[in-house]
Amino acid sequence: MTVQTAAANADYGTTASGSSFYAAMRILPRDQREAMFQIYSFCRQVDDIADSHGPRPERLAALQQWRDDIDALYQGHPPPRLQDYAASVKTFGLKREDFIAIVDGMEMDVPQDIRAPDLATLDLYCDRVASAVGRLSVRVFGLPEEDGILLAHHLGRALQLTNILRDIDEDAGLGRLYLPRESLLLAGITTDNPQRVIVDRALPKVCLALAERAKKHFEKADEIMKRNSRRVVRAPRIMSKYYRVILDLLLARGFAAPREPVRVHKWAKIAILLRYAII
């Protein structure tokens, strides 16, 4: 590993160090760890573009540049910011379409803020911003093809739906509302104005329905992980357990306003790591 590559991967690790995925990444062998840090760094950079306060045309152009750079990577002449990715793409068979799907997902927030998408649009969003990340990740972890794709499908959606439930107030502050339109209407909420929705007395009914959907995805992901080698599912299992704790904390707190943020206690994180990282 060159000094430049070592420095780059140190940066990836530093970027990820504050995330809930960091512990899961750290337990991986070096090549897998570096590939995961690269995937994480890529996701963070395109997400930062989508969430920035820059003019929408500039953000769209910046995301298109990432698409062009991914194309260049797969054509054999990667730009400097993706130069270190070439080895991981080759070693783990990472797919161009999954990187592109992530950019497409981040872009869904840019032309206009997402507000009360229908269930099909919400599922597409989850597939792009979460399950596509999972499809890249399971190749790094070494899961069999069919189970890897299935795990990415279910665990990606479980994690993203949990994020949506956790970040309702933060997203509303950005003018976004990811709760599905069908569930809002079923609860009698006819507005898609985020600030009005988050104080509606019927909001808990909407959130509980989405939490049930997340729980079913967690259960499906658990079934897949149970039938695969513990070693290859260590990292996704740790991610799953972290996020399942977050979902349980949200359910225990409830979704009526005002909502206090929930956090996984440090010792709970350590317990998960000790239980699932050691084979």
Side-chain angles (χ1 to χ4, degrees), residues 9-20:
N9 286 318
D11 289 342
Y12 301 144
T14 300
T15 302
S17 62
S19 80
S20 56

Side-chain angles (χ1 to χ4, degrees), residues 161 165 205-219 244 247 251 255:
L161 293 177
L165 291 167
K205 188 182 301 184
V206 179
C207 294
L208 289 173
L210 201 63
E212 283 302 312
R213 186 180 292 265
K215 285 164 71 172
K216 289 178 182 177
H217 284 299
F218 276 119
E219 290 165 5
R244 186 56 199 261
L247 182 61
L251 288 168
F255 294 97

Side-chain angles (χ1 to χ4, degrees), residues 6-162:
N9 286 318
D11 289 342
Y12 301 144
T14 300
T15 302
S17 62
S19 80
S20 56
F21 293 99
Y22 186 55
M25 294 177 185
R26 285 181 61 191
I27 68 169
L28 297 170
R30 190 190 69 180
D31 288 351
Q32 291 178 312
R33 183 171 63 249
E34 290 173 359
M36 286 303 300
F37 284 151
Q38 289 165 359
I39 293 167
Y40 181 89
S41 176
F42 169 79
C43 293
R44 279 295 302 270
Q45 290 180 78
V46 293
D47 187 43
D48 286 347
I49 293 170
D51 286 348
S52 76
H53 297 293
R56 294 182 191 271
E58 290 183 11
R59 285 186 274 163
L60 290 170
L63 290 172
Q64 182 56 48
Q65 185 59 58
W66 272 107
R67 290 192 188 89
D68 294 342
D69 287 353
I70 291 294
D71 285 342
L73 169 64
Y74 280 85
Q75 290 163 7
H77 42 87
R81 64 180 172 179
L82 290 177
Q83 194 164 12
D84 295 329
Y85 287 57
S88 296
V89 167
K90 182 177 180 181
T91 300
F92 299 109
L94 306 182
K95 302 294 186 183
R96 169 192 170 276
E97 56 263 33
D98 292 325
F99 282 110
I100 296 297
I102 294 166
V103 180
D104 291 344
M106 301 302 179
E107 190 177 79
M108 289 175 73
D109 278 314
V110 178
Q112 58 185 17
D113 294 318
I114 291 181
R115 291 191 175 186
D118 59 44
L119 279 167
T121 302
L122 176 62
D123 191 65
L124 175 63
Y125 178 78
C126 290
D127 185 78
R128 287 173 168 176
V129 302
S131 291
V133 182
R135 289 191 291 272
L136 292 171
S137 301
V138 294
R139 294 182 183 279
V140 175
F141 300 149
L143 270 84
E145 179 78 10
E146 185 174 349
D147 270 359
I149 298 300
L150 275 175
L151 180 59
H153 174 94
H154 289 294
L155 187 53
R157 283 160 170 80
L159 302 188
Q160 190 60 32
L161 293 177
T162 302

Side-chain angles (χ1 to χ4, degrees), residues 175-189:
R176 297 172 182 171
L177 178 67
Y178 295 97
L179 300 175
R181 184 176 302 274
E182 293 92 335
S183 297
L184 292 168
L185 293 174
L186 191 62
I189 301 175

